[in-house]
Amino acid sequence: MRYISTRGQAPVRDFAGVLLAGLAEDGGLFVPEAWPVVTPADWRSLRGLPYPRLAARVLQRFVGDSIPFDTLCAICAEAYAKFDHPAIVPLVQLETGLFVQELFHGPTLAFKDMAMQVLGRLFDHILRTRDARVTIVGATSGDTGSAALEACAGRDRIDIVILHPHERTSAVQRRQMTTVTASNVANIAVEGTFDDCQDMVKAMFADAPFREEMRLSAVNSINWARIAAQVPYYVAAALALGAPDREVAFAVPTGNFGNVLAAWAARRMGLPVARLIVGSNRNDILARFLESNDMSIATVEPSLSPSMDIQVSSNFERVLFELLDRDPVATTETMRGFRQTGRMAVPEAVWKRARAVFHGFRLDDPGTEAEIRRLHAATGYLADPHTAIGVAAARARPPAQPVATVAMATAHPAKFPEAIARATGLHPALPPRLAGLFEREERFTVLPNDLSAVQAQVRALVGRNRG
Ligand SMILES: *Cc1c(COP(=O)(O)O)cnc(C)c1O
């Protein structure tokens, strides 16, 4: 299995190379050179498998011969062993034709664990076989950071530095990061937005000497391995609802476009997915794009669903590349123009192709609270604000044919107690694994939105640990 960059100027790599590199050297994102094709018989052969086994089988399509299948099975078994639900990714029916798939039963209570628990172990395996080490840098609007830290803390071939926007994450989200105190971990609170943090990570990768010296690697959703590890739960949901003989639709609360891209990838591999509904909060650049071909950057506004407070959805570049018939020159030009002008010029025909699959949906904070309340009153189900947007999106944009729609439940309601309390009067308890979170000591450094200050901090951590 080989991977190319969306911008066409980076060397072709195998899965292990893509995992370690994260972002391609030309600023593009890695995508499979050719998409794996899965036949209906292949899909059927996955029916009824325990989730870790199914995940290994689907992942194998992307891993190729980078990792032996037995090792991959062991990695998946271990990754999901600590999850709090025997089904790992249970489907819950809310009403006729409407389901949620709960992706939050991992150690940090958000869907990022689904991929990150696999990724930490993939890194371990590959670094050991190569006798190498890496420095992982990542930007997070909340959940990626804690999931990455949980997956990497204490692993002796990895240093990890996570940037989060100062005072723009929930208290639970921040504490899940800043109370991880392993010696290979540093948390930096940047005085800026999530997009500033993400730009900073990109700038560190673009600084070739720094990248080389630190052996930088990324685990945010630009890393292809993250996307690959998110494909299996779409497969599991679709199979449970009758695929490959029946179509399904997915509604995905979206920020950086990684989760919904995994659904798109499953569709591209032949899973019968009728449509993908992209849920947004008031930061609605994707909804505006899908509604009226208006992909223009506005300022990021904090919302009840902070993991979706994003204007530039990095992973969109991967879909853009496909929509542009995999033309790296056109992709590069479109992304450059977007950077320079804050507006993406997408030809009408290309936009229409996007609309054939993706549908946009937006819900502001009052609407999100109302949906949490409505859903709880109607069904007894408690949804966190991100999940509530997914459920509302699924209800607002039902497919024309009767097709089951699955809303992705991306976070546990206890991660967002204030919103739940305001909407329902209930105070969801933190699950036992997070008990004591508010008593633990926090450790993080607040830095200005300044590249050299952040680079100095990364150097300090790495210098200490490489000794
Ligand atoms: C990360 C996250 C999202 C957004 O997912 P993307 O892959 O970035 O689109 C939605 N909800 C929650 C709870 C998240 O943690």
Side-chain angles (χ1 to χ4, degrees):
M1 186 75 189
R2 289 158 33 113
Y3 291 84
I4 56 172
S5 165
T6 51
R7 306 219 181 159
Q9 299 293 315
V12 171
R13 287 213 160 89
D14 67 359
F15 181 84
V18 164
L19 174 78
L20 295 180
L23 194 70
E25 292 89 334
D26 58 1
L29 306 186
F30 286 110
V31 289
E33 188 172 52
W35 287 96
V37 177
V38 183
T39 65
D42 292 338
W43 291 127
R44 281 187 199 100
S45 77
L46 300 174
R47 273 187 188 153
L49 291 181
Y51 186 75
R53 190 78 187 179
L54 179 143
R57 289 273 301 275
V58 174
L59 261 176
Q60 188 189 24
R61 299 291 189 136
F62 295 110
V63 170
D65 49 19
S66 276
I67 300 174
F69 181 60
D70 285 350
T71 306
L72 202 52
C73 287
I75 284 172
C76 290
E78 223 189 279
Y80 298 116
K82 289 187 297 182
F83 277 54
D84 273 340
H85 196 289
I88 315 295
V89 286
L91 271 182
V92 179
Q93 184 160 22
L94 298 178
E95 54 187 73
T96 305
L98 178 62
F99 299 79
V100 292
Q101 187 179 35
E102 295 183 344
L103 306 175
F104 55 68
H105 293 286
T108 72
L109 311 183
F111 93 95
K112 305 293 194 296
D113 291 325
M114 294 300 306
M116 215 62 92
Q117 285 295 318
V118 173
L119 234 65
R121 289 169 174 84
L122 289 174
F123 265 101
D124 237 16
H125 172 77
I126 287 168
L127 291 172
R128 230 178 305 122
T129 58
R130 296 185 176 192
D131 191 23
R133 30 183 319 131
V134 293
T135 306
I136 288 171
V137 293
T140 186
S141 55
D143 295 329
T144 307
S146 51
L149 292 166
E150 278 292 335
C152 298
R155 296 194 187 273
D156 56 5
R157 293 182 175 275
I158 301 175
D159 290 306
I160 176 164
V161 180
I162 296 295
L163 278 51
H164 69 267
H166 190 40
E167 291 178 344
R168 281 173 185 256
T169 60
S170 78
V172 173
Q173 286 180 316
R174 187 191 69 244
R175 285 182 161 272
Q176 282 185 302
M177 296 189 278
T178 58
T179 59
V180 179
T181 52
S183 63
N184 66 331
V185 161
N187 277 289
I188 299 175
V190 175
E191 292 172 326
T193 64
F194 168 69
D195 287 340
D196 293 330
C197 294
Q198 187 157 264
D199 285 347
M200 193 95 74
V201 169
K202 285 195 173 167
M204 284 192 262
F205 273 92
D207 179 344
F210 183 78
R211 172 182 176 143
E212 200 45 45
E213 181 193 343
M214 297 294 123
R215 306 228 178 78
L216 286 195
S217 199
V219 296
N220 54 7
S221 66
I222 55 178
N223 193 311
W224 172 259
R226 282 267 306 274
I227 308 296
Q230 290 167 359
V231 173
Y233 50 77
Y234 288 101
V235 174
L239 290 175
L241 296 172
D245 307 303
R246 276 178 163 174
E247 290 194 307
V248 288
F250 292 104
V252 188
T254 294
N256 224 354
F257 213 80
N259 202 5
V260 72
L261 179 74
W264 183 88
R267 184 179 188 273
R268 182 67 186 72
M269 291 162 74
L271 198 71
V273 176
R275 64 160 60 179
L276 295 169
I277 309 156
V278 178
S280 306
N281 58 32
R282 60 196 291 194
N283 300 293
D284 61 349
I285 184 168
L286 292 166
R288 280 186 281 119
F289 169 67
L290 291 166
E291 215 166 79
S292 54
N293 198 2
D294 169 22
M295 181 87 91
S296 58
I297 299 175
T299 47
V300 181
E301 303 282 352
S303 78
L304 289 178
S305 41
S307 295
M308 298 155 70
D309 292 347
I310 287 172
Q311 285 291 334
V312 179
S313 298
S314 310
N315 270 299
F316 186 77
E317 179 167 341
R318 288 188 161 114
V319 165
L320 180 71
F321 178 69
E322 302 289 340
L323 292 170
L324 293 169
D325 289 321
R326 308 197 122 213
D327 178 345
V329 176
T331 305
T332 306
E333 275 168 12
T334 306
M335 292 309 296
R336 282 227 178 97
F338 185 45
R339 270 283 152 204
Q340 278 160 11
T341 64
R343 195 169 189 293
M344 191 182 290
V346 177
E348 174 97 2
V350 172
W351 173 66
K352 285 197 166 138
R353 286 168 70 184
R355 288 189 15 130
V357 183
F358 295 101
H359 299 254
F361 175 80
R362 112 173 36 77
L363 198 61
D364 61 10
D365 282 356
T368 303
E369 241 179 71
E371 176 62 16
I372 295 172
R373 188 177 313 117
R374 184 204 66 78
L375 185 59
H376 183 253
T379 67
Y381 194 80
L382 262 191
D384 97 285
H386 305 79
T387 303
I389 292 175
V391 172
R395 289 167 52 87
R397 315 295 307 253
Q401 277 82 37
V403 167
T405 303
V406 183
M408 307 321 273
T410 52
H412 191 292
K415 282 196 96 162
F416 301 92
E418 297 87 1
I420 302 289
R422 259 202 314 278
T424 64
L426 298 173
H427 298 270
L430 276 178
R433 67 181 357 146
L434 288 190
L437 187 66
F438 280 83
E439 282 78 58
R440 291 176 212 159
E441 187 200 339
E442 289 189 83
R443 219 187 280 168
F444 65 102
T445 314
V446 182
L447 290 180
N449 184 11
D450 172 66
L451 181 63
S452 56
V454 171
Q455 284 181 320
Q457 192 77 16
V458 175
R459 263 206 190 88
L461 175 78
V462 171
R464 203 167 64 223
N465 287 341
R466 286 187 188 163

